[in-house]
Amino acid sequence: MFVRIVKMSFHEENIPAFLGNFELMKTKIRNAHGNRLLELYQDKNDACIFFTYSYWETEEDLENYRKSVLFNDVWAFTKKLFNAKPEAWSVDKLVTLA
């Protein structure tokens, strides 16, 4: 399993549109084949910055999602709201303490 982290920064006036669309799409994204977890975070110091964390069974599952109609719809809507280029990392999960 690995984790995909995406940092997104929005124009302040576009945050409600982003959150509304995320609310509509989150279950569909979470139910994508191989997705095991989806989380959305907002930066405590800069309310315009958000992070998504998604856990995937395999890199192929993530790539299949990124090639899907669902991803294209979500990304086409979201990218026009940015005020900076998004950043993304794929990382291996090594340790979890609960």
Side-chain angles (χ1 to χ4, degrees), residues 15-52:
I15 293 172
F18 165 70
L19 291 174
N21 193 58
F22 188 85
E23 184 65 29
L24 290 173
M25 298 300 203
K26 66 184 182 184
T27 302
K28 294 176 184 178
I29 297 167
R30 172 56 187 87
N31 288 328
H33 180 78
N35 183 275
R36 297 293 170 249
L37 179 85
L38 176 64
E39 297 177 317
L40 176 66
Y41 299 97
Q42 186 174 28
D43 189 270
K44 290 190 91 43
N45 298 312
D46 186 342
C48 293
I49 297 175
F50 291 80
F51 298 86
T52 57

Side-chain angles (χ1 to χ4, degrees), residues 49-96:
I49 297 175
F50 291 80
F51 298 86
T52 57
Y53 279 59
S54 54
Y55 289 23
W56 298 88
E57 286 294 322
T58 68
E59 289 185 45
E60 183 179 15
D61 290 331
L62 173 60
E63 287 308 311
N64 288 337
Y65 165 68
R66 292 184 66 204
K67 294 175 186 172
S68 72
V69 172
L70 174 59
F71 176 82
N72 286 330
D73 290 347
V74 170
W75 201 245
F77 181 88
T78 304
K79 69 182 181 181
K80 65 186 175 188
L81 307 176
F82 293 143
N83 68 6
K85 184 178 177 182
E87 299 177 61
W89 300 267
S90 291
V91 298
D92 289 321
K93 183 176 175 181
L94 300 180
V95 176
T96 298

